[in-house]
């Protein structure tokens, strides 16, 4: 039995008086695709930020990929983010004045050293081989999100986090992006955690959890 | 006072301990011990030499050791550069580590012995407040403490701060040079610059004048002027600087062009890039020591232009020639007494030319008149110390008995006539002596041909 990619016990997060995440016990197996649902303000993004090492928990234990995140130093946490996770947001956060391939190379640069050939390959994998030199403003929403996926997977993360990555996309683009994620996961075998408001998107996962006011209220396994 | 005087030497020794330990981390403990012991041995030996061989012999010995280590480093720097440009992977046969087994202790011991000797040079024993022997014991204790401090502090330095082999030696040599630059008689900078200058100067004479273009019709005086600029006194200075600084630059270049590990066989891009980035980062860290050494060297070169010992060096008194061209220096006048055995400096302004000269009574009982310059050095002048005068430029000590004799770095003697009331010198003789023998005007002399 392998170590779960994500394991939390009594994990909490508060912002001042607000308790965004009540004690949460959660396990995500290696290679699993977990969907996270819940109404606005239920703590989904909070959970993602904690798991992705963008924020530190207020209490409880949180281990990702066998590393105890609360024990890591700032440097250690930065290295964890660089080497272990890839994140896709609803807003694409691409640098507007850099081309698609340069945006991907930027991520390589922060990880180690840029390698243009490899960045091109990654964009070809997400089906953007013909739009390498275009800037984000010249790409459609779905294409932008695919650049984000290329950027997120370029450093071979073990865990891919998506915070409503398809929230801004129409149905057709949503399916394309999810299809792509599924293919990449089959090849690279990373774990996926995807936040969504959409039942249909959630159905792409192996399991769905429902948060309400920072509490895990329901869990539904779709496939194993 | 006593302790403060020793600060540069102790700092250099501490730096040597840290650099050597960082350079050869596999053998920290024995190296720390040998560094401490070497310092003690060096200090004790130098101390013994000073007691038993007064004069400049011990200084010459230590100066030779420091100079030799510098030139050894020159060779190693060139080798390092050569090896770094080899387009082959470094062999994994472990040859270098067997070499290290010899190199590490040799570098550690050699550097520590020299550092100890340099520290001992700072007090020839007599000016120490407690008397010579307790001072030596105190020095040994401080040395041991510093070696221990180096041992513990080096372990606290960040892991990533690595030192290349050539960098280790560079740091050690730079620290030794810095340490010696605080001791006038050990200073290596000016003598070397002087040798370079003399070499260039002789080259011009031999090659240009006698072989290449002997008074040729087409070679205009202006051209000689340009050639003169090329080989003026500045050449010596910059030539010396090139010699001092290139080894460090070579090491820096060698480190910069060190081969990166081959990563072609690693299939996963992120993994491959991570290895490359780590190698590049390590290479960058290795640059710190050679670059720091450059700074230390610059400090040492700067430092060496300020003699530490107080020499008797009066301000030249302006004199003028009378209409017949005679320069008269009265035997007694004002505060000056020519027969007091001290250096008395004068400045003659003849038109645009200035001639600095001095008059003094040597221990042989004779007065002598000499230029305040020798035939080979930049005319920085002389100062008077105990039993000798020192050429500020090349730091050579000239015993008072030989002042007035020509040759080498002795002040250039000038003919004069001694009268009961004082000394008469021909102004034209002075001006000619200065313009034909003194180095700075030597190049102009060819230019004006
Ligand atoms: N930086 C912060 N400072 C203060 N309160 C915060 C902060 N971030 C989130 N919160 C609060 O924590 C709670 C959970 O927020 P979170 O962003 O996790 O919700 P969410 O489930 O992602 O909602 P949405 O679906 O709208 O994105 C909210 O009440 C929010 O106001
Ligand atoms: Mg959110």
């Amino acid at each position: 039995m392998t170590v779960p990619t994500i394991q939390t016990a009594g994990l909490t997060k508060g912002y001042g008086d607000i308790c965004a995440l009540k004690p949460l016990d959660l396990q995500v197996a290696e290679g699993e695709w977990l969907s996270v649902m819940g109404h606005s303000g239920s703590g989904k993004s909070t959970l993602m930020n904690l798991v992705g090492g963008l924020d530190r928990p207020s209490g409880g234990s949180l281990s990702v990929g066998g590393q105890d995140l609360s024990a890591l130093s700032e440097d250690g946490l930065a290295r964890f983010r660089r080497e272990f996770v890839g994140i896709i947001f609803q807003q694409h956060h691409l640098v507007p004045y850099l081309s698609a391939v340069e945006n991907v190379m930027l991520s390589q640069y922060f990880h180690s050293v840029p390698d243009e050939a490899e960045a091109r390959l990654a964009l070809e994998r997400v089906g953007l081989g013909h739009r390498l030199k275009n800037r984000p403003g010249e790409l459609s929403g779905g294409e932008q999100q695919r650049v984000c996926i290329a950027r997120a997977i370029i450093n071979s993360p073990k865990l891919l986090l998506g915070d409503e990555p398809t929230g801004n996309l129409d149905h057709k683009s949503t399916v394309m992006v999810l299809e792509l994620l599924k293919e990449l996961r089959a090849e690279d075998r990373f774990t996926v955690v995807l936040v969504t408001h959409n039942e249909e998107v959630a159905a792409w996962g192996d399991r769905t959890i429902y948060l309400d006011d920072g509490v895990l209220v329901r869990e539904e396994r779709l496939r194993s | 006072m006593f302790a403060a005087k020793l600060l540069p030497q102790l700092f250099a020794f501490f730096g040597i301990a840290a650099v050597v330990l960082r350079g050869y981390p596999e053998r920290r403990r024995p190296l720390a011990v040998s560094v401490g012991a070497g310092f003690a041995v060096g200090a004790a030996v130098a101390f013994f030499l000073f007691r038993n061989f007064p004069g400049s012999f011990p200084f010459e010995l230590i100066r030779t050791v420091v100079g030799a280590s510098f030139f050894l480093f020159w060779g190693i720097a060139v080798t390092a550069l050569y090896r770094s440009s080899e387009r082959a992977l470094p062999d994994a046969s472990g040859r270098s580590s067997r070499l290290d087994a010899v190199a590490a202790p040799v570098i550690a011991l050699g550097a520590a012995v020299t550092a100890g000797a340099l520290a001992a040079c700072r007090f020839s024993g007599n000016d120490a407040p407690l008397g010579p022997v307790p001072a030596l014991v105190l020095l040994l204790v401080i040395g041991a403490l510093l070696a221990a401090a180096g041992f513990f502090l080096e372990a606290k330095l960040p892991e990533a701060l690595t030192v290349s082999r050539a960098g280790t030696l560079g740091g050690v040599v730079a620290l030794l040079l810095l340490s010696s630059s605080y001791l006038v008689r050990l200073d290596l900078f000016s003598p070397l610059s002087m040798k370079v200058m003399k070499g260039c100067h002789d080259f011009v004479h031999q090659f240009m004048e006698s072989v290449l273009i002997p008074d040729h019709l087409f070679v205009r005086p202006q051209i000689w002027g340009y050639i003169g600029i090329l080989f003026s006194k500045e050449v010596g200075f910059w030539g010396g600087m090139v010699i001092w600084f290139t080894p460090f630059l070579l090491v820096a270049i060698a480190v910069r062009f060190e081969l990166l590990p081959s990563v072609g066989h690693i299939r996963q891009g992120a993994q491959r890039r991570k290895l490359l980035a780590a190698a590049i980062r390590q290479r960058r860290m290795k640059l710190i020591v050679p670059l720091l050494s450059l700074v230390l060297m610059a400090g040492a070169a700067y430092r060496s232009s300020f003699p530490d010992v107080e020499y008797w060096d009066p301000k030249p008194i302006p004199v003028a020639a009378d209409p017949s061209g005679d320069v008269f220096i009265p035997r007694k006048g004002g505060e000056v007494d020519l027969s007091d055995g001290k250096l008395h400096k004068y400045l003659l302004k003849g038109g645009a030319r200035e001639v600095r000269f001095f008059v003094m009574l040597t221990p042989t009982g004779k007065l002598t008149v000499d230029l305040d310059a020798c035939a080979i050095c930049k005319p920085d002048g002389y100062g008077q110390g105990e039993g000798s005068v020192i050429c500020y430029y090349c730091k050579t000590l000239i015993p008072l008995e030989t002042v007035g004799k020509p040759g080498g770095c002795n002040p250039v003697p000038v003919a004069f006539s001694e009268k009961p009331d004082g000394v008469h010198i021909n102004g034209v003789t002075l001006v000619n002596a200065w313009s034909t023998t003194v180095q700075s005007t030597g190049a102009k002399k060819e230019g004006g041909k």
Side-chain angles (χ1 to χ4, degrees):
Chain A
M1 157 103 211
T2 52
V3 188
T5 297
I6 302 173
Q7 183 155 34
T8 77
L11 179 69
T12 61
K13 177 69 189 179
Y15 297 103
D17 303 342
I18 306 164
C19 193
L21 206 60
K22 312 258 164 67
L24 173 76
D25 299 321
L26 178 69
Q27 281 203 7
V28 182
E30 193 181 330
E32 190 179 353
W33 179 324
L34 178 79
S35 303
V36 181
M37 291 195 70
H39 59 77
S40 191
S42 59
K44 305 182 295 296
S45 297
T46 304
L47 176 62
M48 296 297 262
N49 290 346
L50 293 179
V51 170
L54 298 166
D55 213 342
R56 286 184 181 274
S58 307
S61 75
L62 169 62
S63 120
V64 181
Q67 296 191 76
D68 180 2
L69 291 200
S70 39
L72 287 182
S73 64
E74 281 305 316
D75 278 353
L77 209 57
R79 184 173 326 119
F80 165 80
R81 282 197 299 267
R82 268 201 315 270
E83 294 176 3
F84 197 86
V85 286
I87 307 182
I88 315 165
F89 298 96
Q90 179 172 6
Q91 287 81 25
H92 55 69
H93 296 303
L94 292 169
V95 181
Y97 46 84
L98 293 181
S99 68
V101 71
E102 285 164 346
N103 265 289
V104 177
M105 284 166 71
L106 196 64
S107 175
Q108 291 176 321
Y109 171 78
F110 286 122
H111 172 268
S112 48
V113 286
D115 178 343
E116 184 169 358
E118 196 193 321
R120 282 166 187 275
L121 266 178
L123 282 170
E124 277 160 23
R125 273 181 89 188
V126 300
L128 287 177
H130 56 300
R131 315 295 316 260
L132 296 173
K133 295 289 172 202
N134 290 85
R135 295 184 180 182
E138 300 159 357
L139 300 173
S140 76
E143 285 169 333
Q144 286 175 3
Q145 208 53 292
R146 280 190 273 161
V147 176
C148 290
I149 293 174
R151 182 178 64 176
I153 59 159
I154 190 69
N155 296 322
S156 306
K158 292 275 191 301
L159 173 64
L160 192 78
L161 302 176
D163 197 344
E164 299 185 51
T166 57
N168 282 343
L169 303 182
D170 64 12
H171 183 259
K172 193 165 158 247
S173 302
T174 300
V175 172
M176 273 176 74
V177 163
L178 291 170
E179 202 54 77
L180 176 64
L181 278 182
K182 195 173 156 186
E183 275 169 32
L184 293 173
R185 182 175 76 125
E187 289 168 28
D188 292 359
R189 306 183 172 283
F190 46 75
T191 308
V192 179
V193 180
L194 220 61
V195 167
T196 178
H197 282 285
N198 185 329
E199 286 281 355
E200 215 177 302
V201 172
W204 284 71
D206 303 326
R207 179 164 61 123
T208 309
I209 59 169
Y210 294 85
L211 293 183
D212 187 2
D213 262 343
V215 182
L216 199 166
V217 288
R218 195 154 66 85
E219 189 172 334
E220 201 174 293
R221 181 162 291 282
L222 305 167
R223 56 184 78 81
S224 53
Chain B
M1 348 104 314
F2 178 61
K5 230 172 91 174
L6 272 167
L7 274 182
Q9 281 66 39
L10 295 178
F11 164 75
F13 171 62
F14 173 73
I16 287 169
V19 170
V20 168
L21 291 178
R22 178 55 43 142
Y24 298 94
E26 323 77 53
R27 298 178 248 283
R28 276 173 49 82
R29 210 174 285 271
L31 280 187
V33 173
S34 54
V35 161
F39 184 82
V41 169
V45 167
F47 194 73
F48 171 81
L49 286 176
F50 286 126
R51 305 255 97 192
N52 293 281
F53 300 90
S56 51
F57 168 71
F59 286 108
E60 284 308 318
L61 194 67
I62 297 164
R63 189 157 124 168
T64 309
V65 171
V66 177
S69 76
F70 176 77
F71 281 104
L72 183 70
F73 174 52
W74 238 109
I76 288 173
V78 173
T79 315
L81 183 67
Y82 172 73
R83 286 180 60 106
S84 77
S85 63
E86 273 176 331
R87 297 281 99 187
L89 279 177
D91 59 346
S93 64
R95 213 185 78 222
S96 71
S97 82
R98 233 181 303 140
L99 192 67
D100 286 350
V102 184
V106 167
I107 292 178
L109 258 179
V113 169
T114 315
L118 286 171
C121 285
R122 253 331 221 187
F123 66 105
S124 322
N126 300 327
D127 58 339
L130 307 171
V133 174
L136 177 67
V137 173
L138 188 66
L139 183 63
L140 300 191
V141 171
I142 294 176
L145 287 178
L146 280 178
F151 181 76
F152 289 112
L153 278 178
E154 188 272 333
K156 298 268 185 297
L157 291 177
E159 197 65 43
L161 185 70
T162 52
V163 180
S164 66
R165 294 307 189 233
T168 308
L169 199 66
V172 166
V173 167
L175 285 161
L176 286 180
L177 286 167
L178 181 74
S179 175
S180 64
S181 74
Y182 275 81
L183 289 131
V184 182
R185 296 162 85 178
L186 288 176
D187 176 39
L188 285 165
F189 288 88
S190 314
L192 188 70
S193 305
M194 186 195 74
K195 290 208 171 77
V196 172
M197 177 175 67
K198 192 160 172 352
C200 293
H201 186 254
D202 291 353
F203 176 79
V204 174
H205 263 287
Q206 304 297 325
F207 190 69
M208 292 288 189
E209 277 199 352
S210 58
V211 182
L212 192 62
I213 355 182
D215 271 342
H216 199 282
L217 195 64
F218 299 122
V219 180
R220 301 272 177 77
Q222 293 97 299
I223 295 178
W224 277 115
Y226 291 125
I227 295 174
I229 293 171
L230 282 177
F231 293 93
S232 66
K233 62 176 178 178
E234 299 302 321
V235 174
F237 175 74
W238 290 113
M241 285 295 133
V242 166
I243 293 188
W244 290 118
F245 286 99
T246 3
F248 297 91
L249 284 176
L250 290 183
V251 168
I253 294 170
V255 170
R256 177 62 190 75
F257 288 105
E258 237 173 41
L259 289 176
L260 291 174
S262 76
V263 290
H265 61 284
I266 298 170
R267 280 192 47 235
Q268 200 200 65
Q271 198 63 30
R272 187 171 59 220
R273 281 185 280 113
K274 221 173 103 179
L275 269 173
L276 269 185
I280 290 171
R281 202 176 319 121
Q282 191 181 24
R283 207 166 63 174
R284 204 171 297 152
M285 295 305 271
K286 278 187 182 174
L287 278 174
I288 289 182
V289 170
L291 293 182
L292 211 65
S293 304
L294 269 176
V295 174
L296 290 176
M297 279 287 294
Y302 176 73
R303 176 65 231 171
S304 80
S305 49
F306 302 101
D308 236 24
V309 184
E310 285 291 313
Y311 288 99
W312 164 250
D313 186 4
K315 198 174 174 320
I317 300 167
V319 291
D322 66 17
S324 68
D326 183 53
V327 177
F328 171 65
I329 313 282
R331 202 175 278 276
K332 269 205 171 82
E335 291 165 18
V336 177
D337 176 5
L338 288 189
S339 52
D340 61 0
K342 284 188 185 166
L343 209 59
H344 301 282
K345 292 198 179 182
Y346 298 93
L347 179 70
L348 172 70
K349 289 199 181 174
R353 298 195 174 172
E354 290 191 352
V355 178
R356 256 188 1 254
F357 65 100
F358 64 79
V359 183
M360 86 184 291
L361 183 74
T362 65
T364 56
K366 286 190 190 122
L367 276 176
T368 172
V369 177
D370 306 80
L371 297 183
D372 191 22
C374 69
I376 48 182
C377 294
K378 199 173 128 196
D380 278 0
Y382 292 84
Q384 186 176 12
E386 237 176 278
S388 58
V389 292
I390 183 169
C391 165
Y392 284 138
Y393 190 76
C394 74
K395 315 294 194 274
T396 303
L397 292 173
I398 291 125
L400 291 180
E401 289 79 5
T402 68
V403 174
K405 296 193 175 115
C409 188
N410 274 31
V412 177
V414 180
F416 65 99
S417 59
E418 198 177 336
K419 298 272 160 62
D421 57 339
V423 169
H424 293 266
I425 315 154
N426 187 302
V428 178
T429 311
L430 272 172
V431 172
N432 281 348
W434 185 275
S435 57
T436 53
T437 52
V438 175
Q439 186 62 54
S440 63
T441 50
K444 271 202 207 99
K445 179 182 58 181
E446 286 141 29
K449 197 161 192 173

